[in-house]
Amino acid sequence: MSIKSDLRKEGIQVIDKLDTLKVNSIAKSMADCLTTAFPEHNFKTDELFKRLARLNMYTASVPNGLSEANYFYKNTSIYYNEKIDFNDIYKYALHESIHYLQERKNASGKLLRLGLCDMSGMKIYGLGINEAAVQYATAKALNFEKDSVKYYGITFNTISPNLYPIECNLIAQMAYITGNFCLFDSTFNSNNNFRNKFIALTSKETYEIIENNFDKILYAEEDIIKLNNKLTLEEHNEYSIKQKISKQKSIIKDTYFNTQNLIIKAYFDKLFKRISTNEDLENFRRKLYDYKNLVGTTDEYFFFNNYYIEMMEKLQEKQNAIEEGRIYVSNENTEISVFKENKFIMFLQAIKRFLSKSEVDYEHN
């Protein structure tokens, strides 16, 4: 499919190409922004500028609801909504510039990888989670302040209230577990470090479910945009479209809570098993308590509160076991178990140790 066909399919109509001076101005701002915001990732301003200045940039007419900027990898171009103020163009350009930096292609130009998104096989994996990671990095770089918002009946905090707000909340929950460095490393360098670390702290099945859920949310949001645009056309059945919109909103809400609950349970259940000292116990308590600042809620949502109470009770039991010396490491993965003393078993173990010692003494004689 040609570039013109791709653009037509998205409803994008090119108006004008940005001149070299404007492209260089945007590229310089993006390079400075990334270098300043992520010093630990060793970006070099001059190298970034040279790469970003190669981008083609256009103004275009775009459908309502579509992103204000859209990157097309086939012709290395960004298309900006003609209606946006040039002074605001940088916050839209950064998201798309990160997409450009993420690209990993083969010798024939086929796109294989885009940050957390794997496009090397017949099926694409991680499209939604990569969009979340890119926007989360963009919001961090632009120093967006965290805000409390309400979407789809869910109240939550997000660093990106106007673009992918719900996805940014969920990726922030994942980054709370792995750390931001690991997330941004994989976002910028298109590697599996974030995926592997999250799996190590939860499970492979957990990551794959979450990855799929991000796609569900992304696709449902895209469907809502298309359906809202249809509402402006008189020939469509308004009631039918509103029903479909309502269904997509329910999908997003249910998927959000399924994802959030899975992250909480998978991570903290596994972490709990590894508690063997009072210091571990206090770290666990603090980490679970602080997690409340990330959790999205509704009036009917009780999972986190119930889970918190349940874990506090288990922590008290484990604390008692630690103080009484009833803790041992059960396997090489440092899973911790609690045992109760049994006088008869202790007696048998003492005899076994005595007999073993006697055999050793006999061999020495």
Side-chain angles (χ1 to χ4, degrees):
M1 188 180 289
S2 68
I3 297 300
K4 288 183 179 180
S5 298
D6 285 338
L7 293 173
R8 196 180 305 116
K9 183 180 177 182
E10 296 295 331
I12 296 174
Q13 297 179 1
V14 177
I15 294 175
D16 198 10
K17 186 174 184 178
L18 269 61
D19 60 47
T20 303
L21 188 63
K22 287 182 179 178
V23 171
N24 286 345
S25 174
I26 294 171
K28 180 67 166 61
S29 295
M30 297 303 95
D32 289 341
C33 183
L34 288 170
T35 305
T36 302
F38 304 104
E40 66 278 17
H41 292 281
N42 300 316
F43 286 122
K44 292 180 174 57
T45 307
D46 290 344
E47 290 180 8
L48 275 179
F49 169 72
K50 288 176 183 177
R51 290 182 65 186
L52 295 171
R54 297 191 195 112
L55 283 163
N56 300 306
M57 300 187 187
Y58 301 87
T59 56
S61 172
V62 302
N64 290 331
L66 196 67
S67 299
E68 301 292 7
N70 296 272
Y71 175 66
F72 276 66
Y73 78 91
K74 289 182 179 179
N75 63 345
T76 321
S77 301
I78 300 178
Y79 298 88
Y80 299 104
N81 189 335
E82 62 172 329
K83 295 179 181 179
I84 62 175
D85 187 336
F86 186 79
N87 293 322
D88 287 335
I89 205 169
Y90 302 98
K91 64 184 179 184
Y92 303 113
L94 185 56
H95 182 107
E96 304 308 317
S97 295
I98 293 173
H99 276 317
Y100 166 63
L101 296 174
Q102 290 183 315
E103 283 186 350
R104 300 294 182 270
K105 298 177 181 178
N106 63 16
S108 61
K110 182 183 185 302
L111 188 60
L112 302 176
R113 182 88 184 222
L114 208 61
L116 307 183
C117 181
D118 185 351
M119 311 173 81
S120 59
M122 296 296 292
K123 183 179 178 182
I124 296 174
Y125 293 95
L127 188 65
I129 198 170
N130 186 59
E131 282 297 334
V134 170
Q135 183 54 29
Y136 186 64
T138 300
K140 285 279 187 184
L142 296 174
N143 294 315
F144 287 177
E145 292 185 5
K146 191 177 289 184
D147 195 9
S148 178
V149 297
K150 188 173 184 178
Y151 285 95
Y152 314 111
I154 310 165
T155 301
F156 57 94
N157 292 322
T158 181
I159 197 173
S160 180
N162 299 315
L163 184 61
Y164 300 126
I166 202 163
E167 290 93 335
C168 283
N169 169 271
L170 287 174
I171 203 71
Q173 293 191 40
M174 297 178 77
Y176 180 81
I177 293 171
T178 64
N180 279 334
F181 179 86
C182 187
L183 172 63
F184 295 144
D185 177 37
S186 290
T187 302
F188 298 135
N189 299 310
S190 295
N191 59 47
N192 285 325
N193 292 343
F194 171 71
R195 181 182 187 275
N196 292 341
K197 186 169 183 180
F198 190 85
I199 286 173
L201 295 169
T202 57
S203 71
K204 185 172 184 287
E205 181 185 14
T206 297
Y207 185 86
E208 289 175 350
I209 291 171
I210 291 170
E211 182 182 63
N212 186 56
N213 284 352
F214 269 96
D215 287 343
K216 277 186 186 179
I217 292 171
L218 183 68
Y219 296 145
E221 288 180 334
E222 289 177 354
D223 284 344
I224 289 172
I225 291 170
K226 293 173 184 176
L227 290 165
N228 278 325
N229 286 337
K230 280 187 177 182
L231 280 176
T232 62
L233 304 175
E234 293 182 4
E235 65 266 24
H236 291 290
N237 185 309
E238 183 175 332
Y239 177 74
S240 174
I241 291 175
K242 286 183 176 180
Q243 276 190 317
K244 291 176 181 177
I245 291 173
S246 180
K247 181 181 178 181
Q248 294 304 315
K249 287 181 177 181
S250 293
I251 288 172
I252 293 171
K253 185 176 181 180
D254 291 344
T255 305
Y256 172 85
F257 283 116
N258 288 339
T259 305
Q260 175 172 273
N261 295 349
L262 178 58
I263 295 171
I264 293 167
K265 185 165 177 56
Y267 173 64
F268 285 104
D269 278 6
K270 192 166 186 175
L271 186 63
F272 180 82
K273 292 178 180 178
R274 298 179 176 179
I275 296 174
S276 62
T277 66
N278 281 322
E279 184 180 0
D280 293 341
L281 192 144
E282 289 306 316
N283 287 338
F284 180 96
R285 181 181 282 120
R286 173 187 51 78
K287 200 155 194 178
L288 181 58
Y289 178 79
D290 289 345
Y291 202 93
K292 72 183 188 304
N293 299 318
L294 299 167
V295 172
T297 64
T298 66
D299 291 339
E300 300 82 31
Y301 179 76
F302 304 106
F303 178 88
F304 181 77
N305 287 342
N306 291 339
Y307 184 85
Y308 183 86
I309 292 169
E310 176 189 344
M311 294 311 289
M312 289 305 105
E313 292 173 353
K314 288 184 176 181
L315 281 178
Q316 186 58 55
E317 293 175 5
K318 183 156 279 196
Q319 184 172 12
N320 293 339
I322 291 170
E323 292 172 354
E324 295 169 12
R326 295 182 289 111
I327 292 288
Y328 72 96
V329 179
S330 61
N331 60 43
E332 61 183 4
N333 294 320
T334 65
E335 183 172 331
I336 307 302
S337 299
V338 178
F339 68 91
K340 294 183 179 180
E341 293 182 356
N342 183 300
K343 291 184 178 180
F344 180 68
I345 292 176
M346 290 175 67
F347 174 70
L348 291 177
Q349 289 174 338
I351 292 175
K352 184 178 180 181
R353 286 196 297 272
F354 174 76
L355 291 174
S356 297
K357 183 176 184 300
S358 297
E359 290 174 2
V360 172
D361 291 342
Y362 178 76
E363 289 174 1
H364 287 174
N365 290 332

